[in-house]
Every structure is written in structure tokens, then in C-alpha cells.
Amino acid sequence: MTCLPEKMPLQMISTINNSSLIQPGFSLLNFDGRVFLFGQKGWPKRSCPTGVFLLDFKKEELKLKPAYFSKDSCYLPPLRYPAICTPKGSMAQSEKCPYFIHGGKTPNNELSDKLYIMSLISKNSKKFTFKCTEKELAGEVPEARYGHTINVVHSQGKSIIVIVGGRSYKALGERTTENWNSVVDCMPYIFLVDPEFGCCTSHAFQELMGGFSFHLSLARNDTIYIIGGHSIESNTRPPNLYRIKVDLPLGSPAVNCSVLSGGISVSSAIMTQTGDQEFVIVGGYHSDNQKRMVCNTINLEDNKIEIVEREAPEWTPDIKHCKIWFGSDMGNGAILFGIPGDNRQLISDANYFYLLRCKEESDQDPEQMAQVCSQSSTEDAGESTPFEDSEEFTFSFDIDTYNEDDEEDESETGYWITCSSGCDIDINTWVPLYSTELNKPAMIFCSNGDGHWVHAQCMDLSEDMLIHLSQVNTKYFCPEHTSLAKGLQTPKETPPVEKPPMKALHRKKPMTIFTPAKKSFIRKLFQ
């Protein structure tokens, strides 16, 4: 077992370019010691259409450099709170070893039920190229979810994917305008997915009494350990500790679930591997209003699991007094996590980020990376406040998270105003309608009088029309002020008044043309 220092060193990252891209729910992927950010805030832009960034650390500074996808890759949306794992069970990881990515939330707060496979196919000093493919699933496919875990187990020379827990929206038949964003814990089924053919089967166990989300899981050979979690129905964090054993004979797989003692009550924690059989748990929550400041060490020896408390790092005053925190495992015993910035800052939505090393630098090997383990780094940011760690929390502060561009503050522009007599947009029930929306409605400016803002959705504007009006230099008037603004509109074209033409002076008379008969008569007359 690796000897850990008495206190884990904590380092603040002073400068991060494009730090607004890092939001709660992000994930980190470690390819051969290189760490990549996945799950940026908002939809990808032209500067980085893949939405995947290399984390380039230099001393106390962090730069985000865009990564690239191969031409035969599928589109991978930026997903928050997905389940992520690698298929290998040892700490040594090949750079070509892929990641499995399942579920998660899109920037429009839609849930994904897709399974992606992402691998690094080429790299040089300036360019990293990935290949991403979507795996088609069949059979008892897990419903769209987030806050769950995914692992790969190995038995009798074969491998299989295991998906556990998570949170999903209510069924369509149960969703109304008032509870459209309401979520429930998924049924506590264990899903097995064939990584080659995509066939899915579900398994139910009496030991899994209720749904749970934002738990921790780690895999070792043919066994998965489930630790902690949060139940939204009872709003509790029971000290769960489950052992799921999967046997893969020639026929159907055999799954066994058992309850172990010695679990801990925690949700949204971060887990990193510090040794061949050793892990460290950092962060998380005891309750809705209490962060979990203690840390734990997990020892896996002789097919047994032991969770013991260990000394925590010297948390800064900012960390101690903040209400929430979020982060993800970087691999090789390191964790990146952030806390909300001070609202008194010029940039109100800025975060502070820290690098926590849970492993002595002398023991760190750049060729090593973390054990196949999946974790929910933070719980859901919710539909109203980006720094709320999940729907379990209801804090009073409100911070803008529309996209990485600078925007005016909601308190000044009034995104939750009653824009017209028929306005029905409510901060508690509003859901995104346009692809450009994330956490606030799209608005358009009515030019009547001193002007006022109205919701594009209430004005029945299509997305194409909204984009057109935002790009052209023209005035817009909402339906309530269209009649008042008619005088400002361009008048209709009227035909010009017809005037009789003026008579020309000394106009010559037209020449008289004689017929042949008349010419003959005149000729005879003069003869």
C-alpha cells in the first residue's frame, strides 16, 4: 500500500483562460497522462467545435487548448453529469484505451440515453485528435439519465459494461407545466451492456431497496463496489456499501448483489486512485446544507473493502465557508475542483479552482492513471442556479450561466419579467425552447417609446426569425405596440399621379398619305 503524506497538498490555480467553460458537472479524461476537459458550459463554438479541451498546466496557470475529432467521428454533445469509465482495470493505461460515456445532460437540459466510445487516435505537440462513435443499444435499454455510474468488469476472459443508479425526468405522461423539470431517481436496476453488440439486460435485487444517485463506484476484476449516494424521494444519504459480482459464463451472465457493512454517508464525492489497491475520497455532502470536509481512504486487499477516515488537507477559508463545491478526478491521484467566486468580483460568475494531490509526487508515474472507476463529480446544477449542486439544494443566490460570452446580469435586464399580458414564463417552470438557451429565456427588444424587453417565446417567434432579427439592423415592435408603431413603418408604395402630356409648340402636322386611286384622280385633274 502506498504511503500517503499526512496532509494532502492543496494548490490554488491563479489563472485559467476560458475558465467560464468549466461548470459543475464537467468530466476529465486521462489519456496517457494527458488530461482533457469534457462537458463545457454551453454548446461548442467554432473555436472548438468538439467541446473537448486539453488542460495545459504550467506552474499555477491553466490553459484550455481545443482538441479535434477525426472525420469519421459522430457528433458528441457537451454532457454534464454523464457516467464515464475506461474498460481496463489496471492503473497502467494505453493512450489508445477508449472511454465509455453514457447519459448526461445537454446544455438545453435534455437527458441523453446514448452510449459513446471515445479514443485518442493521434497526437503531436500541438494537435490531439479523437475518434468518437455512438454505440447502438438494443434490448432493455437504460432510460435517459444523469448522476449515475458506469464500469467495465472482466470475467472468464470476457468483459461487460455495468450501469447503476442515476436520476431522470418524470415520465411524459406525468409531466405537467408545473413539474416539467421535476426529476426522480431511476429504478434501482443493474444494467448489463454487451460492449460488442450493444445488447442490454436489466437485473433487479431486493437488496437495492430504493433509487440512488450521485454515488461512487469502483471496479476490480469481476466486482463493483457502490458507495454512498442520495435518494431524492426521501432526501437522505444512507451509508450504502454494495458489492455487485458479475460472472460471465458461456450462457447468460450471472449477477449477484450483497450489502456490506462499513459504508459511509456521502453524495457527490470525488474519488481518485493513489495505489494499486488504494483510493481516496474527497468532498461531497453530509446533508443539504453541510459539505463533507473529511476524507477517506479505501483499501482493497484480499477481495475485501475497507473505508477509513484520513486527515484532510488544510482547507482555505473560502473553501470552508462556501456552500457548494464541484470537481472531477484527473487520474494519477490528482483532483481538480472549484468553488463559486465572490459575487463582489467584476465577473460575477467566476469560479476559484484548486488542484489537490492525494499522492506523493515521488510516487506519481506519468505512465499511470486511475483505476477503472466511475464517479459523479458533483450533483446536478439544477434548472435555476448553476452553483447548486443538485435539486436537493435551494440556495438564494442566482448567477448567470447562459454561455461563455459576456452578458448582462438578469437583475438588470429582467429575464423573468412579465413581458406581456399573455406572458406565462416562470423561473420555476420555464424550460429551454431555443437551441441557444441554457438557463434563461431568449429575449428581444421592443422599440416602442423608451423600449422594453419581451420574451421571444411569448412573441411566438421561430428560432430562425429570432436569429434573423438579431442579425439585421431593424427595429422590432411586439404585438401590443405594433399599432402604435405604424407611423414608424415604411409606407406602402403608391402609384404616381398620371398627368396629361404637355403640347409641344409649333408642332408640325402629320403628312397625309394618299391612296393610289386618289393619286390617279389628282394627276388627271391637273392634266
PDB file of all heavy atoms in Angstrom, residues 65 69 88 92 113 143 151 154 160 187 201 264 271 282 380 396 406 433 449 490 501:
ATOM      1  N   LYS A  65      -6.757  24.128 -24.306  1.00  0.00           N
ATOM      2  CA  LYS A  65      -6.450  24.085 -25.729  1.00  0.00           C
ATOM      3  C   LYS A  65      -7.425  23.151 -26.433  1.00  0.00           C
ATOM      4  O   LYS A  65      -7.660  22.038 -25.963  1.00  0.00           O
ATOM      5  CB  LYS A  65      -5.006  23.614 -25.946  1.00  0.00           C
ATOM      6  CG  LYS A  65      -3.972  24.558 -25.358  1.00  0.00           C
ATOM      7  CD  LYS A  65      -2.557  24.080 -25.653  1.00  0.00           C
ATOM      8  CE  LYS A  65      -1.525  25.059 -25.100  1.00  0.00           C
ATOM      9  NZ  LYS A  65      -0.137  24.608 -25.375  1.00  0.00           N
ATOM     10  N   PHE A  69     -11.634  16.145 -33.590  1.00  0.00           N
ATOM     11  CA  PHE A  69     -12.230  14.846 -33.885  1.00  0.00           C
ATOM     12  C   PHE A  69     -11.871  14.443 -35.312  1.00  0.00           C
ATOM     13  O   PHE A  69     -11.719  15.302 -36.194  1.00  0.00           O
ATOM     14  CB  PHE A  69     -13.753  14.883 -33.745  1.00  0.00           C
ATOM     15  CG  PHE A  69     -14.232  14.759 -32.316  1.00  0.00           C
ATOM     16  CD1 PHE A  69     -13.347  14.642 -31.261  1.00  0.00           C
ATOM     17  CD2 PHE A  69     -15.582  14.762 -32.031  1.00  0.00           C
ATOM     18  CE1 PHE A  69     -13.782  14.532 -29.956  1.00  0.00           C
ATOM     19  CE2 PHE A  69     -16.042  14.653 -30.721  1.00  0.00           C
ATOM     20  CZ  PHE A  69     -15.134  14.534 -29.681  1.00  0.00           C
ATOM     21  N   LYS A  88     -10.263  -0.770 -18.996  1.00  0.00           N
ATOM     22  CA  LYS A  88      -9.175  -1.536 -18.402  1.00  0.00           C
ATOM     23  C   LYS A  88      -9.201  -1.417 -16.894  1.00  0.00           C
ATOM     24  O   LYS A  88      -9.506  -0.367 -16.341  1.00  0.00           O
ATOM     25  CB  LYS A  88      -7.825  -1.070 -18.949  1.00  0.00           C
ATOM     26  CG  LYS A  88      -7.585  -1.524 -20.383  1.00  0.00           C
ATOM     27  CD  LYS A  88      -6.151  -1.306 -20.779  1.00  0.00           C
ATOM     28  CE  LYS A  88      -5.882  -1.886 -22.167  1.00  0.00           C
ATOM     29  NZ  LYS A  88      -4.479  -1.715 -22.577  1.00  0.00           N
ATOM     30  N   ALA A  92      -2.104   1.008 -15.231  1.00  0.00           N
ATOM     31  CA  ALA A  92      -1.416   1.308 -16.479  1.00  0.00           C
ATOM     32  C   ALA A  92      -2.443   1.447 -17.580  1.00  0.00           C
ATOM     33  O   ALA A  92      -3.288   0.589 -17.768  1.00  0.00           O
ATOM     34  CB  ALA A  92      -0.431   0.202 -16.819  1.00  0.00           C
ATOM     35  N   ASP A 113     -29.672   9.232 -23.569  1.00  0.00           N
ATOM     36  CA  ASP A 113     -29.664   7.795 -23.280  1.00  0.00           C
ATOM     37  C   ASP A 113     -28.664   7.070 -24.168  1.00  0.00           C
ATOM     38  O   ASP A 113     -28.706   5.850 -24.300  1.00  0.00           O
ATOM     39  CB  ASP A 113     -31.057   7.193 -23.473  1.00  0.00           C
ATOM     40  CG  ASP A 113     -31.549   7.340 -24.908  1.00  0.00           C
ATOM     41  OD1 ASP A 113     -30.888   8.043 -25.709  1.00  0.00           O
ATOM     42  OD2 ASP A 113     -32.601   6.760 -25.250  1.00  0.00           O
ATOM     43  N   GLU A 143     -33.001   3.946 -19.467  1.00  0.00           N
ATOM     44  CA  GLU A 143     -33.618   5.212 -19.843  1.00  0.00           C
ATOM     45  C   GLU A 143     -32.613   6.352 -19.703  1.00  0.00           C
ATOM     46  O   GLU A 143     -31.586   6.233 -19.037  1.00  0.00           O
ATOM     47  CB  GLU A 143     -34.830   5.486 -18.942  1.00  0.00           C
ATOM     48  CG  GLU A 143     -34.482   5.675 -17.476  1.00  0.00           C
ATOM     49  CD  GLU A 143     -35.711   5.955 -16.637  1.00  0.00           C
ATOM     50  OE1 GLU A 143     -36.528   6.782 -17.063  1.00  0.00           O
ATOM     51  OE2 GLU A 143     -35.844   5.339 -15.573  1.00  0.00           O
ATOM     52  N   ASN A 151     -19.234   1.118 -15.274  1.00  0.00           N
ATOM     53  CA  ASN A 151     -17.980   0.414 -15.074  1.00  0.00           C
ATOM     54  C   ASN A 151     -17.884  -0.732 -16.067  1.00  0.00           C
ATOM     55  O   ASN A 151     -18.892  -1.161 -16.652  1.00  0.00           O
ATOM     56  CB  ASN A 151     -17.878  -0.152 -13.647  1.00  0.00           C
ATOM     57  CG  ASN A 151     -17.785   0.944 -12.601  1.00  0.00           C
ATOM     58  OD1 ASN A 151     -16.722   1.471 -12.324  1.00  0.00           O
ATOM     59  ND2 ASN A 151     -18.932   1.299 -12.024  1.00  0.00           N
ATOM     60  N   HIS A 154     -14.501  -7.688 -15.793  1.00  0.00           N
ATOM     61  CA  HIS A 154     -13.875  -8.735 -16.591  1.00  0.00           C
ATOM     62  C   HIS A 154     -14.060 -10.059 -15.863  1.00  0.00           C
ATOM     63  O   HIS A 154     -13.778 -10.181 -14.669  1.00  0.00           O
ATOM     64  CB  HIS A 154     -12.390  -8.440 -16.783  1.00  0.00           C
ATOM     65  CG  HIS A 154     -12.104  -7.039 -17.240  1.00  0.00           C
ATOM     66  ND1 HIS A 154     -12.165  -6.662 -18.564  1.00  0.00           N
ATOM     67  CD2 HIS A 154     -11.788  -5.917 -16.547  1.00  0.00           C
ATOM     68  CE1 HIS A 154     -11.878  -5.375 -18.668  1.00  0.00           C
ATOM     69  NE2 HIS A 154     -11.646  -4.903 -17.455  1.00  0.00           N
ATOM     70  N   ILE A 160     -17.888  -6.864 -19.799  1.00  0.00           N
ATOM     71  CA  ILE A 160     -19.248  -6.357 -19.943  1.00  0.00           C
ATOM     72  C   ILE A 160     -19.370  -5.036 -19.207  1.00  0.00           C
ATOM     73  O   ILE A 160     -18.666  -4.787 -18.207  1.00  0.00           O
ATOM     74  CB  ILE A 160     -20.285  -7.386 -19.429  1.00  0.00           C
ATOM     75  CG1 ILE A 160     -21.664  -7.095 -20.026  1.00  0.00           C
ATOM     76  CG2 ILE A 160     -20.355  -7.382 -17.905  1.00  0.00           C
ATOM     77  CD1 ILE A 160     -22.626  -8.241 -19.928  1.00  0.00           C
ATOM     78  N   MET A 187     -35.208   3.596 -11.303  1.00  0.00           N
ATOM     79  CA  MET A 187     -35.398   2.337 -10.600  1.00  0.00           C
ATOM     80  C   MET A 187     -34.043   1.688 -10.320  1.00  0.00           C
ATOM     81  O   MET A 187     -33.152   1.728 -11.167  1.00  0.00           O
ATOM     82  CB  MET A 187     -36.271   1.392 -11.420  1.00  0.00           C
ATOM     83  CG  MET A 187     -37.692   1.891 -11.625  1.00  0.00           C
ATOM     84  SD  MET A 187     -38.586   2.047 -10.056  1.00  0.00           S
ATOM     85  CE  MET A 187     -38.721   0.328  -9.586  1.00  0.00           C
ATOM     86  N   THR A 201     -29.441  -5.889 -20.801  1.00  0.00           N
ATOM     87  CA  THR A 201     -30.348  -6.628 -19.920  1.00  0.00           C
ATOM     88  C   THR A 201     -30.382  -5.937 -18.573  1.00  0.00           C
ATOM     89  O   THR A 201     -29.391  -5.319 -18.141  1.00  0.00           O
ATOM     90  CB  THR A 201     -29.884  -8.090 -19.740  1.00  0.00           C
ATOM     91  OG1 THR A 201     -28.549  -8.098 -19.195  1.00  0.00           O
ATOM     92  CG2 THR A 201     -29.898  -8.831 -21.057  1.00  0.00           C
ATOM     93  N   ILE A 264     -20.274   4.589   4.119  1.00  0.00           N
ATOM     94  CA  ILE A 264     -20.263   5.985   4.575  1.00  0.00           C
ATOM     95  C   ILE A 264     -21.428   6.725   3.930  1.00  0.00           C
ATOM     96  O   ILE A 264     -21.875   6.393   2.834  1.00  0.00           O
ATOM     97  CB  ILE A 264     -18.935   6.692   4.244  1.00  0.00           C
ATOM     98  CG1 ILE A 264     -18.645   6.608   2.729  1.00  0.00           C
ATOM     99  CG2 ILE A 264     -17.789   6.094   5.051  1.00  0.00           C
ATOM    100  CD1 ILE A 264     -17.401   7.368   2.311  1.00  0.00           C
ATOM    101  N   MET A 271     -13.527  10.602  -6.261  1.00  0.00           N
ATOM    102  CA  MET A 271     -12.634   9.512  -5.886  1.00  0.00           C
ATOM    103  C   MET A 271     -11.491   9.419  -6.878  1.00  0.00           C
ATOM    104  O   MET A 271     -11.692   9.528  -8.086  1.00  0.00           O
ATOM    105  CB  MET A 271     -13.394   8.188  -5.839  1.00  0.00           C
ATOM    106  CG  MET A 271     -12.550   7.002  -5.431  1.00  0.00           C
ATOM    107  SD  MET A 271     -13.565   5.548  -5.041  1.00  0.00           S
ATOM    108  CE  MET A 271     -14.481   5.344  -6.558  1.00  0.00           C
ATOM    109  N   VAL A 282     -12.710  12.399  -1.615  1.00  0.00           N
ATOM    110  CA  VAL A 282     -12.624  13.804  -1.218  1.00  0.00           C
ATOM    111  C   VAL A 282     -13.941  14.488  -1.547  1.00  0.00           C
ATOM    112  O   VAL A 282     -14.567  14.200  -2.576  1.00  0.00           O
ATOM    113  CB  VAL A 282     -11.470  14.521  -1.940  1.00  0.00           C
ATOM    114  CG1 VAL A 282     -11.427  15.996  -1.562  1.00  0.00           C
ATOM    115  CG2 VAL A 282     -10.139  13.860  -1.619  1.00  0.00           C
ATOM    116  N   ASP A 380     -26.368  17.594  -9.636  1.00  0.00           N
ATOM    117  CA  ASP A 380     -26.936  18.419 -10.683  1.00  0.00           C
ATOM    118  C   ASP A 380     -27.004  19.879 -10.300  1.00  0.00           C
ATOM    119  O   ASP A 380     -27.375  20.250  -9.208  1.00  0.00           O
ATOM    120  CB  ASP A 380     -28.342  17.903 -10.991  1.00  0.00           C
ATOM    121  CG  ASP A 380     -28.990  18.680 -12.098  1.00  0.00           C
ATOM    122  OD1 ASP A 380     -28.259  19.282 -12.890  1.00  0.00           O
ATOM    123  OD2 ASP A 380     -30.224  18.655 -12.175  1.00  0.00           O
ATOM    124  N   SER A 396     -30.184  30.869  -2.186  1.00  0.00           N
ATOM    125  CA  SER A 396     -30.848  32.097  -2.572  1.00  0.00           C
ATOM    126  C   SER A 396     -30.140  32.845  -3.685  1.00  0.00           C
ATOM    127  O   SER A 396     -30.753  33.630  -4.384  1.00  0.00           O
ATOM    128  CB  SER A 396     -30.962  33.028  -1.352  1.00  0.00           C
ATOM    129  OG  SER A 396     -29.670  33.312  -0.834  1.00  0.00           O
ATOM    130  N   ASP A 406     -19.887  37.402 -22.694  1.00  0.00           N
ATOM    131  CA  ASP A 406     -20.323  38.304 -21.628  1.00  0.00           C
ATOM    132  C   ASP A 406     -21.757  38.724 -21.879  1.00  0.00           C
ATOM    133  O   ASP A 406     -22.127  39.140 -22.967  1.00  0.00           O
ATOM    134  CB  ASP A 406     -19.420  39.542 -21.587  1.00  0.00           C
ATOM    135  CG  ASP A 406     -18.021  39.186 -21.135  1.00  0.00           C
ATOM    136  OD1 ASP A 406     -17.878  38.201 -20.395  1.00  0.00           O
ATOM    137  OD2 ASP A 406     -17.090  39.907 -21.522  1.00  0.00           O
ATOM    138  N   LEU A 433     -36.487  26.524 -24.946  1.00  0.00           N
ATOM    139  CA  LEU A 433     -37.237  26.313 -26.178  1.00  0.00           C
ATOM    140  C   LEU A 433     -36.318  26.398 -27.388  1.00  0.00           C
ATOM    141  O   LEU A 433     -36.434  25.610 -28.317  1.00  0.00           O
ATOM    142  CB  LEU A 433     -38.360  27.343 -26.303  1.00  0.00           C
ATOM    143  CG  LEU A 433     -39.171  27.282 -27.599  1.00  0.00           C
ATOM    144  CD1 LEU A 433     -40.021  26.022 -27.631  1.00  0.00           C
ATOM    145  CD2 LEU A 433     -40.042  28.523 -27.764  1.00  0.00           C
ATOM    146  N   GLY A 449     -41.501  53.559 -27.693  1.00  0.00           N
ATOM    147  CA  GLY A 449     -41.182  54.503 -26.622  1.00  0.00           C
ATOM    148  C   GLY A 449     -39.728  54.382 -26.191  1.00  0.00           C
ATOM    149  O   GLY A 449     -38.807  54.459 -27.013  1.00  0.00           O
ATOM    150  N   THR A 490     -42.317  51.748 -42.780  1.00  0.00           N
ATOM    151  CA  THR A 490     -42.172  52.268 -44.140  1.00  0.00           C
ATOM    152  C   THR A 490     -43.528  52.264 -44.840  1.00  0.00           C
ATOM    153  O   THR A 490     -44.206  51.236 -44.870  1.00  0.00           O
ATOM    154  CB  THR A 490     -41.196  51.401 -44.933  1.00  0.00           C
ATOM    155  OG1 THR A 490     -39.960  51.355 -44.234  1.00  0.00           O
ATOM    156  CG2 THR A 490     -40.969  51.962 -46.333  1.00  0.00           C
ATOM    157  N   PRO A 501     -49.794  64.849 -70.940  1.00  0.00           N
ATOM    158  CA  PRO A 501     -48.538  65.376 -71.505  1.00  0.00           C
ATOM    159  C   PRO A 501     -48.731  66.793 -72.035  1.00  0.00           C
ATOM    160  O   PRO A 501     -49.809  67.161 -72.491  1.00  0.00           O
ATOM    161  CB  PRO A 501     -48.227  64.390 -72.629  1.00  0.00           C
ATOM    162  CG  PRO A 501     -49.546  63.799 -73.000  1.00  0.00           C
ATOM    163  CD  PRO A 501     -50.346  63.754 -71.732  1.00  0.00           C
TER     164      PRO A 501
END
